[in-house]
Amino acid sequence: MYTLTYESVATNKISGTEMEELLEKARANNLRDDITGCLIYYKGGFVQLLEGSKEKIETLYDKIKKDPRHKNVTLFSDDEISKRTFPNWGMAYYPIDENNTNKYEYEQFKRNLILMADLIEPTNVTSKQFWKKIKTMIAEPPM
């Protein structure tokens, strides 16, 4: 089994409806291809971890790199793994919209992600790098 994590920047703002459509399609494809993972979208940036067969993950990542909805797709870790970090998540997603989020919602968002990071025990370098990137990302307040 294989995992990778990358970050990218949205080329345009993504509405909640657009994100839900993207996720609905991704979840169906991931179920078909036995891919699990987690996607965080914050301040126009994405961080995603994917897990599954190396062939399926590499094929998906090649497709992701060509997707015009984002740019600066940067792989920052990949590993061969024996155990999934997100075994039951077809694609988890946690949104936060800096234009419609008050300080309380932002703080709750941060607490939820930190709680997830503390509850999910990283089993490989890639998942450790994913959570490190998430904690760095949320340390910056929304604009």
Side-chain angles (χ1 to χ4, degrees):
M1 197 159 355
Y2 180 72
T3 186
L4 67 76
T5 191
Y6 72 90
E7 63 184 329
S8 65
V9 178
T11 52
N12 297 303
K13 282 204 172 235
I14 298 175
S15 72
T17 303
E18 291 171 314
M19 185 59 76
E20 286 302 321
E21 289 170 2
L22 180 147
L23 287 168
E24 186 175 317
K25 185 175 180 182
R27 286 175 178 140
N29 291 340
N30 290 350
L31 180 63
R32 178 196 67 216
D33 294 336
D34 193 29
I35 294 172
T36 57
C38 184
L39 172 67
I40 306 293
Y41 176 65
Y42 178 65
K43 290 177 59 176
F46 295 97
V47 177
Q48 184 170 31
L49 182 139
L50 298 167
E51 309 167 307
S53 79
K54 187 169 186 174
E55 178 184 334
K56 297 279 187 185
I57 297 296
E58 287 178 336
T59 299
L60 177 57
Y61 184 61
D62 285 341
K63 190 175 175 182
I64 287 168
K65 290 187 290 188
K66 295 173 187 167
D67 189 324
R69 291 173 286 198
H70 60 159
K71 61 186 178 183
N72 303 335
V73 179
T74 306
L75 176 73
F76 60 87
S77 187
D78 66 327
D79 275 314
E80 293 291 333
I81 58 172
S82 59
K83 181 179 173 187
R84 293 177 191 254
T85 301
F86 301 99
N88 301 312
W89 296 16
M91 184 50 56
Y93 166 65
Y94 200 118
I96 189 162
D97 179 356
E98 62 270 14
N99 294 323
N100 295 315
T101 303
N102 64 39
K103 184 177 179 179
Y104 171 78
E105 290 170 319
Y106 170 70
E107 290 302 321
Q108 187 62 43
F109 169 79
K110 281 177 50 173
R111 281 191 298 274
N112 288 345
L113 284 178
I114 290 167
L115 180 62
M116 279 178 53
D118 291 342
L119 290 175
I120 295 174
E121 188 173 327
T123 59
N124 56 69
V125 170
T126 296
S127 68
K128 288 176 185 171
Q129 291 298 318
F130 173 79
W131 288 114
K132 182 177 178 182
K133 179 65 76 172
I134 296 304
K135 286 180 178 181
T136 300
M137 177 193 289
I138 65 172
E140 298 177 29
M143 296 180 177

